[in-house]
Amino acid sequence: PLAAFNQLFPPTASRLYEKGNINELQANYEAVTRWSFTIAIFPFGVMCVYSHQILSLFGTGFEDGSIVLITFAVAQLLNGLAGPSGNLLTMTNHQYMNMINQWALGILNVVLNYIFINSFGIIGAALATAGVLSLINFIRVIEVWYTESFFPYSHSFWKPLAAGLSATVAVALFSQIYTGLLYLVLGCLIGSIIFISLLYLFGIEEQDKAIIEGLSDR
């Protein structure tokens, strides 16, 4: 989800920053971060609950990689939670800082993969890559806060978090009763309905409505 939003955010961020609309830029940064986290959290829960069943679709023996799948799912959830921090650095004239982040990500990933694969095998590869990705994302959020005083989190994050956890618990309980590919699809469908329904009941943020209306007008 973050990759999709990153196609829209950079030009918007650049325009707002150039015009000095700092408050609006902060609002967009927070909204995009919350949206990417919202879309990522339920698939993350599904991958954790159904990791064995999902990997079994590729053949016998793939289920042993469930820990690898969960590790990468955690990394991608944290990636969504970091929001478009990297792009925001670039759009606010901190492109060299972002370039250093990318170089650090690549070099550290290679080094840790070499060390961890020798020690832990394929799980080590997952731990190294996921760990480096999570670390870089955390650093980007701190850099944006330090350089521009933008912070992407607010109390509104409780809504997708509560909805995602509730839907994941429901799917986990369902998976304990029913097993098989058909019930995997059914469980995901039930979980999705619960997730979307809870988000609707919790209410859509006025900030989100304003941004969506602005995009619709455009």
Side-chain angles (χ1 to χ4, degrees), residues 22 27 29 34 54 99 106 122 134 136 158 160 173 178 194 214 216:
I22 302 303
Y29 177 41
R34 186 173 61 255
I54 292 172
M99 182 186 70
I122 188 173
S134 302
I136 291 296
W158 74 267
L173 292 174
Y178 303 102
I194 293 173
S216 299

Side-chain angles (χ1 to χ4, degrees), residues 120-131:
F120 308 110
I122 188 173
I123 295 177
L127 289 172
T129 301

Side-chain angles (χ1 to χ4, degrees), residues 75 78-80 82-83 85 132-142:
L78 295 176
N79 190 37
S85 303
V132 171
L133 181 61
S134 302
L135 176 62
I136 291 296
N137 280 321
F138 174 75
I139 291 174
R140 285 170 178 160
V141 172
I142 297 299

